[in-house]
Amino acid sequence: PYTIWQLLVGLDLPKNGGKFDTVYHSTMREGLCVEIGKRFWKRSEELSKDQSRTNEFEIRDFVIYAMGHGIAVFTSLFLLAYPCSLSQYVHGAILVICTAICTWRGARRYTYYSTKMYSELIQKHFAAELRRETTSYGSVDMTVATH
């Protein structure tokens, strides 16, 4: 269902300054687009970075991403699920590790949303006021005399 939704709806959400982001787009912007382009398609790094900047990724990039995701899911069944079924201590340790990873990644995502993603919107909204403050303070000496 996710792959179908992503192909039909999700790939277009963040394009052209859209309000919505997806995990796929976020992951691709963090450098995966460059790696996939270089390893699979011999695409230039400049083109991949341009795609990351505009969120205009190719469907074949998504296919590679989805196949990698599928392989990771099935691999995790053997590397994580099977050991969990053998020991409650292993199961508990993996739960603690997964909780820590989710907390860390959630905090990073929240920081991204609250700083990087919305900073452009805030700067656009308050651009006139920021320019006004910069020009009014630009002519005044803001240093404090210490004598």
Side-chain angles (χ1 to χ4, degrees):
Y2 169 76
T3 302
I4 294 167
W5 176 84
Q6 187 71 14
L7 287 170
L8 295 176
V9 178
L11 289 177
D12 292 328
L13 286 177
K15 287 181 183 176
N16 303 319
K19 293 186 217 178
F20 303 105
D21 199 14
T22 67
V23 173
Y24 166 71
H25 289 87
S26 175
T27 304
M28 292 296 278
R29 283 192 305 268
E30 290 177 359
L32 188 60
C33 181
V34 174
E35 285 301 314
I36 288 175
K38 184 174 21 175
R39 291 178 190 233
F40 290 96
W41 321 124
K42 306 295 185 227
R43 182 172 54 218
S44 72
E45 186 172 335
E46 182 180 309
L47 178 58
S48 292
K49 286 182 178 180
D50 187 53
Q51 289 176 338
S52 295
R53 187 178 47 76
T54 61
N55 288 312
E56 295 280 346
F57 303 109
E58 299 176 39
I59 291 178
R60 64 184 183 169
D61 291 336
F62 176 72
V63 170
I64 296 295
Y65 172 86
M67 287 182 0
H69 190 268
I71 291 168
V73 166
F74 284 109
T75 302
S76 72
L77 290 175
F78 296 105
L79 296 180
L80 298 176
Y82 182 69
C84 284
S85 71
L86 298 177
S87 166
Q88 66 182 7
Y89 298 108
V90 171
H91 188 210
I94 289 175
L95 285 176
V96 168
I97 290 168
C98 287
T99 301
I101 289 170
C102 289
T103 303
W104 175 257
R105 288 185 176 179
R108 283 183 46 209
R109 190 70 179 165
Y110 176 78
T111 302
Y112 166 75
Y113 281 138
S114 62
T115 57
K116 293 180 183 176
M117 188 172 177
Y118 295 117
S119 67
E120 288 182 15
L121 177 65
I122 291 169
Q123 287 174 0
K124 285 179 187 176
H125 186 70
F126 293 106
E129 189 173 326
L130 289 170
R131 278 193 299 272
R132 203 170 31 248
E133 284 183 17
T134 303
T135 56
S136 66
Y137 290 135
S139 60
V140 177
D141 185 10
M142 297 300 288
T143 60
V144 177
T146 56
H147 298 298

